[in-house]
Amino acid sequence: RLATRQPTVTLVKLSTGMGQNDAQWGRYQAGASVLMALLKMPAAWYQLSMLFLSPNVDFRCASPSNESIPTANLSRSSWDDSCSYRDHGGTQHSCDLWQYDTSEFSNTVNMMWNLVCDRELLATWAQFSFMSGVFSGNVIGGVLADRVGRKPVLVVAVLLQPIMSAVVAVVPWFSLFLIFRFVMGLALGGTIVISFLLGGELGAGPWRPVITILNQVPFGMGQTLLALAAYFLRDWRELQMALSVFCLIFLPYCWLVEESPKWLMATGRQKRAERVMDVIRQRNGLPPAADNEMLPMTEKNKVQIVKTDNEKLNNNRGVGFCDLFRTPRLRHYTLAVWLMWYCAGLSFFTMNAYQIQLGGSSFINVGVGGLIGGIPGNIVTIFLVRKFGKKKVIIIAHFFVALFSILIPIYNVGDSPFDWQRRVLGLLTLIAMSVAFPAVFLLSGELIPTVVRGSAMGVANLMARLGNTTAPLVGPLAAISKWLPLCVVSIAPLISALVMFSLPETGDGPLPDTIEDVERTNLRWQETVILSTVEEGSKIYKPKTVIVHQNS
């Protein structure tokens, strides 16, 4: 369409940094997308592991009068969760030794370090230290991903994760338990943000929704596997060590995954991008790209060159976190994305914690919640966003989350056999969440440009983790009213739905690479032309990258 004489033109879309053939789906993109998705499994293992590492178990004060009685001979009423005892003279003493009900768990973190009574708050600190590490890993990993690349951050995180998990399993003191859980969270935060970035940047056009949404499926699989492992491993050290062994399967990522060509192109590293693309072409079974093509620049082409060198792309190397707030549209998108991710984290983990109150075994609740509540909805989302668009799906799914969750307190525990009404509504809530949240994650990555996507998504993950950390504070509200925890689960998605009305539908178009791409308006057509030699009369120009507009 551009050329009128024999010399040909090689076109590369600015948003992909790939040639026409390379934008197609191939073996490498499929394999790497699966690898990125599987990183969600350790995210489920470690974020939900405290449900089994530090569960609430019955206990009683081991006073001199009863410490010799075997716990197996005690009735349910004997576990009074007492923090003091009276001696034979009637004098009350604070308890410094406890007996625990080991009928369900043989050893837990709470049993190990007596995290009961006035030390009960320390169990919350164990989860807080881990989530603080995830917070830090999301932000640091996102910023470093924009500065040094996606792969270096991924390699460090993948290596650090099983090591820290194993160390946590053998530490003798609670203080070290807190410290190494923080470092473990740091590694997990890095893998979470990189899996999101690489997963979104691997796909082009109509494949991107499939990649990003299916990226969430392994979280449900990991949740189910965690419940299964916890059922057979009732000692917290054994379970923690098993999770460390599971993470060893991710070590080959250091060799199997290449750097993101999109990030390389967006930051002006064109030569390295070409080398990576050669590797990807080889894995996809494609021939090497031609590099000796010419574009005749004549008035007849009606092409306006608005950028004649790589200066603008190279300048993107200096783009940083503060640039997220430099322009009005990007600032609005960034704040909206962060708010929606916070609401997603708050409502999702509040609902996951509430599953235990639905009735039944914690192993079954967590396992079924991951298998049924976390997987089908993600798969259905692929077809929904293609037919109706992301915006409509997000708004409607959030409405159903609010509806199903607020209906749960209508039924009391014990009103029906197996509390089936409460359990069905709980599963429907989780299914609606598994439709809404992946669509939010997909839209978020498409609104933010490549040069700052790592930083923005790092903070977005941080906001989700902040919601996760806030969630345990919601459960105790049930002591005031049984409606309050579910009101929070309902209100948070409604806020996200309202925010969604102010954001655009992104469709299957190219991802924005620069801040200018987000702010630019009224440009009907744009592509980047990679020139090997440019002829204009008798003049010969050196290889350049230019952006061309055609108003036709």
Side-chain angles (χ1 to χ4, degrees), residues 46-68:
Y46 292 122
Q47 289 185 91
L48 302 177
S49 62
M50 287 302 286
L51 293 175
F52 303 108
L53 299 181
S54 181
N56 291 325
V57 296
D58 294 324
F59 64 91
R60 68 169 190 163
C61 184
S63 62
S65 60
N66 64 20
E67 61 181 352
S68 60

Side-chain angles (χ1 to χ4, degrees), residues 303-364:
V303 175
Q304 176 191 4
I305 300 179
V306 296
K307 182 179 175 187
T308 58
D309 54 33
N310 285 325
E311 179 181 357
K312 191 173 182 180
L313 286 176
N314 290 331
N315 286 342
N316 281 325
R317 296 187 184 189
V319 174
F321 177 81
C322 294
D323 291 288
L324 289 168
F325 306 96
R326 181 162 55 88
T327 57
R329 182 174 295 177
L330 181 58
R331 180 168 57 249
H332 171 68
Y333 290 173
T334 300
L335 294 177
V337 165
W338 290 353
L339 178 59
M340 289 193 297
W341 280 58
Y342 172 79
C343 292
L346 174 62
S347 56
F348 178 76
F349 276 87
T350 299
M351 190 60 215
N352 266 282
Y354 195 83
Q355 287 185 87
I356 300 177
Q357 302 181 41
L358 294 175
S361 168
S362 58
F363 303 106
I364 295 177

Side-chain angles (χ1 to χ4, degrees), residues 148 152 259 263-264 269-277:
V148 302
E259 183 57 88
W263 175 81
L264 293 171
R269 296 167 170 87
Q270 185 174 324
K271 291 185 178 180
R272 187 181 171 194
E274 292 173 355
R275 291 195 298 269
V276 172
M277 286 310 305

